[in-house]
Amino acid sequence: MNLFVAVSGDGAQRAMTSSNGQNWTARSTPLNPYYSVTWSPELSLLVAVGGGNAMTSPDGINWTERTVPQISTWTRVTWSATKGIFMAVGNTGTNHVMTSPDGINWTLQPNVIPDAIPLSYVEWVDAKSKFIATGNNGAIINGVLV
């Protein structure tokens, strides 16, 4: 896509784009806080998550709000081409993991994290074929499988 994309937890526009990483253009988005954005080259789709919702964009300019199954502070989203899913993690609510095959339809995954540990970060690790997540208490959740 040759575009830098950033999201924000506040402000009038919650997404910005740049072709060079130096000059940025604010983009109109739904007015919710967003904390993480990821790109799926296979779907040609950006997905951002944040305070209670998600949004998608095919180009970083036009954004569409998406409904998620639980209001939570979704802190991080990542894409796995191997599994063909987005995974988002959060640190509020009763379930801290949700997945989506398309960035639009989301499903809670209530049994993948022991003791409902609030999560702050998740990443797909291709070499291990696993999602690796970290908890707010510093715990590393190795091998979140969905």
Side-chain angles (χ1 to χ4, degrees), residues 2-146:
N2 297 323
L3 190 68
F4 294 95
V5 178
V7 293
S8 172
D10 61 12
Q13 286 84 24
R14 306 293 170 99
M16 298 181 74
T17 59
S18 172
S19 61
N20 61 13
Q22 295 178 357
N23 303 310
W24 292 85
T25 302
R27 302 300 180 183
S28 181
T29 65
L31 285 179
N32 292 299
Y34 296 97
Y35 305 119
S36 178
V37 62
T38 195
W39 169 251
S40 165
E42 292 79 10
L43 300 178
S44 296
L45 189 69
L46 288 157
V47 173
V49 297
N53 72 335
M55 66 178 177
T56 61
S57 174
D59 57 12
I61 298 167
N62 302 295
W63 292 89
T64 302
E65 187 170 15
R66 304 299 180 184
T67 302
V68 296
Q70 172 183 285
I71 300 299
S72 180
T73 301
W74 299 106
T75 55
R76 177 78 174 153
V77 63
T78 192
W79 166 253
S80 166
T82 302
K83 289 204 172 269
I85 60 172
F86 294 97
M87 178 180 276
V89 298
N91 60 22
T92 60
T94 55
N95 295 298
H96 299 118
V97 177
M98 66 177 179
T99 59
S100 173
D102 57 11
I104 299 167
N105 301 294
W106 292 89
T107 302
L108 289 175
Q109 302 295 331
N111 299 315
V112 299
I113 302 297
D115 302 319
I117 295 170
L119 299 172
S120 55
Y121 187 83
V122 66
E123 195 64 58
W124 172 255
V125 180
D126 226 19
K128 298 282 187 183
S129 292
K130 294 181 180 181
F131 289 99
I132 306 296
T134 57
N136 287 357
N137 61 359
I140 296 175
I141 311 302
N142 183 354
V144 175
L145 299 177
V146 178

